[in-house]
Amino acid sequence: MKLRTHLLALAASATLAATALAAEQPAATSDSPETDASLYGQSVTLPRQAAVCAERIADYMPRFQKFYDAWKTENAARIASGGKFIHEQAAKGGVNADDGMNKLADADVERLHKTSLELLVRHCQLMLDSLAPPAAN
């Protein structure tokens, strides 16, 4: 049971980086399995959050999709590595990784549905900012 709790905590921490109102580039700077797992978590949860944004913000999805597709392509190998790591760790603990990630994404969606339009707009813009490529100097 302790291992399951640890695995769920790992999945949660990997996903929370995507769900927090982060203003930093999600492209990771560390080559650890945990960092790759965080990227995987973002690849799963960000589209679900974007769908909520699109429900209340005109023209949001095309803007999100443009940045998300580029970000996902740039980080594809690391996302795959993170997904493998999450699934391996979950399997060791007898936990279904996909079910766990979906529960976390569902919680994000529920939270965003309940938030004010002002906070939602801010969160959604921060998601776009975090996915955008770094500005050239």
Side-chain angles (χ1 to χ4, degrees):
M1 186 58 141
K2 186 175 182 178
L3 181 58
R4 279 188 180 183
T5 303
H6 176 71
L7 291 173
L8 288 175
L10 175 63
S13 67
T15 303
L16 286 177
T19 61
L21 295 176
E24 294 182 26
Q25 175 91 1
T29 57
S30 172
D31 288 331
S32 72
E34 292 82 6
T35 302
D36 291 352
S38 178
L39 290 173
Y40 171 75
Q42 291 173 28
S43 75
V44 172
T45 60
L46 288 176
R48 297 271 310 270
Q49 292 179 44
V52 177
C53 296
E55 291 172 8
R56 295 171 65 190
I57 301 169
D59 297 327
Y60 184 81
M61 193 53 81
R63 293 182 291 144
F64 170 81
Q65 202 64 54
K66 175 185 169 187
F67 290 128
Y68 177 79
D69 289 346
W71 172 84
K72 191 171 179 183
T73 298
E74 180 180 329
N75 291 288
R78 307 232 6 240
I79 291 167
S81 172
K84 181 179 177 196
F85 177 75
I86 288 281
H87 285 86
E88 287 172 353
Q89 294 301 309
K92 288 178 185 176
V95 177
N96 184 309
D98 294 326
D99 287 347
M101 295 301 291
N102 284 328
K103 285 180 184 178
L104 292 169
D106 288 346
D108 291 341
V109 167
E110 183 178 338
R111 177 183 52 82
L112 290 173
H113 275 130
K114 292 178 180 179
T115 195
S116 69
L117 181 58
E118 179 184 353
L119 289 176
L120 180 71
V121 167
R122 186 174 186 193
H123 174 81
C124 296
Q125 184 59 49
L126 286 170
M127 284 184 5
L128 292 178
D129 294 345
S130 72
L131 292 171
N137 291 344

